[in-house]
Amino acid sequence: GFVIMVITAMIDYRYWGALSTVLFLITFGSLALLFLVGGALFGSSRWFTVGPILIQPSELAKITIILILANFFSQKIDDIKKPRVIIQSLGITFLIVFWIILQPDLSTSIVILVIWFALLWAAGLDLKMLAIAGGAGAVIMAIGLPLMLLNYDPTNTDSLIKPYQLERIINFLFPEEGASYGASYNVQQALISIGDGGWFGQGYGSGSQVQLRFLKVRHSDFIFSALSEEFGLMGALMVIGTLAFIVARCLRAARISSDTFGALIAYGAATLITFQTIVNVGMNLNLLPVTGLTLPFVSYGGSSLMTLFIAIGLVESVVLRHKDLEF
């Protein structure tokens, strides 16, 4: 990861703007290919299997969408308030999101839409139009979600909403007390693990909930609960504080960038890390529904880790070139 970060930082980030169309076509093609042949050849519609390595294109799509939208908005910066530009940017985003939703991977789709919204705001769209766009999105969700639930058919494997997704929503809204299995059980064990950590934790490798395997999916979805039990409140705050520091440095990079393209890349990286941290910690605390989003730089997942290191490498590239070299 560090090697990839250094290599990315060494490459002038402005080259990626010239290659944004190529990156879009590669990402679009890989996601489409994965959906069309992934289930039949690889047993999954989210990963390509290359020997012992699993590659998840939807994770790399997060970087692609940051570069594509940053380049698009930087070229249209004077027309950012025109509805035509907003619709074009949303269309570009949906061409990527469409294939990710079909995998299905709703959480990654939401991340990409959040990145689009954040970059649109960072590019200069005023709050009035943002409020209108947010209101339109809320209306669509308010109408679309009940319709999906009413038309849900558990026997139909091609249904837009999947059984596990519906289960997560129901368990969040109407949690089952004392559940001995399923999503409710996992959330209950996550809360117990966090409470069991106290101020300074049970010690590395000594958390009873983690080591006795009461806490499930402790390497990815609920890793925040695992580290909270073994390192306590202080350890959890150190992790959150470190991620907050990284986000702050990304925002600083955006502020000192020599051009709009670089600034938007840094804003996109900050948005990616911030949103995934909030969602992952929130679901561990039962404040948000359970999703598959990783805790940045902490959760298991090679594709996710590489994506985040590439993002930081891009931010470093922006910082390294924020002003001309002086001799």
Side-chain angles (χ1 to χ4, degrees):
F2 277 108
V3 170
I4 291 176
M5 181 185 72
V6 171
I7 292 173
T8 306
M10 291 171 61
I11 300 172
D12 192 330
Y13 67 92
R14 288 170 284 230
Y15 291 148
W16 298 113
L19 296 173
S20 61
T21 301
V22 176
L23 291 173
F24 173 81
L25 293 175
I26 292 173
T27 303
F28 182 87
S30 63
L31 289 170
L33 180 64
L34 184 64
F35 174 75
L36 295 174
V37 304
L41 297 181
F42 307 110
S44 171
S45 57
R46 292 191 186 184
W47 295 272
F48 281 121
T49 303
V50 182
I53 301 173
L54 295 177
I55 300 175
Q56 189 173 1
S58 60
E59 283 292 334
L60 299 175
K62 297 173 185 177
I63 297 297
T64 301
I65 205 69
I66 289 173
L67 292 171
I68 292 171
L69 291 179
N71 182 62
F72 179 82
F73 288 139
S74 63
Q75 292 180 352
K76 306 286 186 180
I77 196 69
D78 294 329
D79 301 321
I80 196 66
K81 297 181 181 181
K82 294 182 179 180
R84 170 178 55 84
V85 174
I86 299 172
I87 294 172
Q88 285 177 349
S89 66
L90 185 59
I92 294 170
T93 305
F94 263 115
L95 285 173
I96 299 294
V97 167
F98 173 76
W99 293 110
I100 297 175
I101 289 178
L102 293 179
Q103 290 183 357
D105 190 350
L106 183 60
S107 57
T108 300
S109 302
I110 293 173
V111 171
I112 290 178
L113 289 173
V114 167
I115 290 172
W116 166 77
F117 193 80
L119 291 183
L120 188 60
W121 172 74
L125 191 67
D126 58 42
L127 292 177
K128 180 180 178 181
M129 296 192 71
L130 280 174
I132 294 173
V139 170
I140 292 172
M141 288 292 293
I143 296 173
L145 187 58
L147 286 176
M148 285 194 296
L149 294 176
L150 288 173
N151 292 290
Y152 172 69
D153 182 4
T155 63
N156 182 10
T157 57
D158 295 326
S159 175
L160 186 59
I161 186 168
K162 306 301 178 183
Y164 74 90
Q165 294 172 333
L166 182 63
E167 181 185 5
R168 288 176 176 179
I169 295 172
I170 293 175
N171 284 326
F172 176 72
L173 296 175
F174 311 103
E176 180 185 352
E177 296 295 336
S180 58
Y181 63 91
S184 292
Y185 171 82
N186 291 337
V187 173
Q188 289 171 14
Q189 295 304 313
L191 292 174
I192 293 171
S193 301
I194 293 172
D196 195 40
W199 283 96
F200 300 103
Q202 301 287 331
Y204 180 66
S206 302
S208 57
Q209 291 292 117
V210 177
Q211 301 304 325
L212 297 178
R213 312 233 173 162
F214 291 105
L215 180 66
K216 308 297 182 183
V217 207
R218 59 198 178 280
H219 60 290
S220 55
D221 290 2
F222 295 106
I223 199 166
F224 180 79
S225 298
L227 68 89
S228 294
E229 182 181 35
E230 299 198 342
F231 299 105
L233 177 63
M234 293 298 101
L237 289 178
M238 286 182 63
V239 171
I240 294 174
T242 302
L243 292 171
F245 174 76
I246 294 172
V247 170
R249 298 297 288 182
C250 289
L251 294 176
R252 174 184 176 274
R255 188 171 64 253
I256 67 174
S257 173
S258 61
D259 59 10
T260 303
F261 179 53
L264 292 177
I265 289 175
Y267 278 126
T271 301
L272 174 62
I273 297 171
T274 301
F275 184 73
Q276 289 201 184
T277 300
I278 290 173
V279 172
N280 186 276
V281 173
M283 75 181 189
N284 275 260
L285 295 172
N286 200 27
L287 299 175
L288 294 170
V290 174
T291 69
L293 290 182
T294 59
L295 183 62
F297 302 105
V298 181
S299 295
Y300 171 86
S303 295
S304 173
L305 189 62
M306 291 304 103
T307 296
L308 291 164
F309 270 115
I310 292 171
I312 296 301
L314 288 169
V315 175
E316 292 287 357
S317 180
V318 172
V319 174
L320 287 170
R321 296 164 181 84
H322 78 277
K323 62 180 180 180
D324 294 332
L325 292 176
E326 298 177 359
F327 296 95

